[in-house]
Structure formats: structure tokens, C-alpha cells
Amino acid sequence: MKNCRAAAGEVVTAPIKPRIREDLTTVELDGEAVIYDDRTGDLHHLNSTATIVAKLCDGSATIRELAIDIAYAFQLPEDDVEKQIRSLLRKLRRADLLVDRSDQAHG
């Protein structure tokens, strides 16, 4: 994880830019996704909302930036959307579908 120095000398952790693992196989049908993890043999079903978020998790945007974009597109409150995204990302992380945070600092 990248760190930045704040003006007062304290260390601030750089925002996380979530990224779905590239080695997963994803099939999308009617706006919902099924993700197969070859490492574990597990299948994961994402509803249409989770599928949208997962497709946006390419490592280019912070969680806050994702929330702003999705909130704008669906005309929803940004803070509510960000809470929902964070909840989903916790589930994806527990399922080991996201690139590890320590790997993000190198890639």
C-alpha cells in the first residue's frame, strides 16, 4: 500500500483502488454475473448491482470515485452508495475475488 506524508509529518495511507482478480472467469447473463475461481473451484453469483460495481473495479478509481460515478448515474445519495460499495467490497475481499491490497502497491 502506498503511503504519503501529510503536511504535519504524519503518514497517510493512499486511497484503495479496488481491482477484481484477472485470473477469474466471469460470465454475465441478463445483467448478473457468475464468477468462477479456478484456484478454489468456487462459483460466486453477483446480482445486477454487484455486477456493475465489480465491472468498475479495474484498479483505476478509488472507492469514493466509484461511489460518486454510480450515485450520479442512478441519481442516489453519494454517501449511501459508498456504504453499499464498501459492504460489497468487504464480501468480495472475504471471497478472495479482489487483488490483495499489498499487491496493489506494486501494480
Side-chain angles (χ1 to χ4, degrees):
M1 207 178 307
K2 296 179 183 176
N3 292 323
C4 305
R5 287 252 175 233
E10 66 185 58
V11 175
V12 178
T13 303
I16 295 169
K17 295 182 177 181
R19 188 171 74 219
I20 295 288
R21 287 183 18 224
E22 294 179 13
D23 63 324
L24 299 170
T25 302
T26 303
V27 176
E28 191 175 335
L29 182 62
D30 295 329
E32 297 188 349
V34 175
I35 299 174
Y36 176 69
D37 185 344
D38 192 46
R39 293 190 319 200
T40 64
D42 292 338
L43 282 174
H44 306 273
H45 173 258
L46 302 183
N47 66 24
S48 57
T49 305
T51 299
I52 290 168
V53 174
K55 286 167 68 173
L56 294 172
C57 289
D58 61 3
S60 67
T62 66
I63 296 169
R64 183 68 184 158
E65 290 166 341
L66 292 173
I68 290 168
D69 290 347
I70 292 170
Y72 178 78
F74 292 96
Q75 298 181 351
L76 296 168
E78 290 174 10
D79 289 340
D80 293 346
V81 172
E82 185 172 353
K83 288 176 189 173
Q84 295 288 330
I85 290 172
R86 288 183 182 281
S87 175
L88 172 63
L89 291 176
R90 279 191 294 274
K91 292 174 185 175
L92 295 177
R93 189 168 307 287
R94 280 195 299 268
D96 195 29
L97 300 179
L98 296 178
V99 172
D100 186 86
R101 290 178 186 177
S102 62
D103 292 342
Q104 288 183 3
H106 301 80

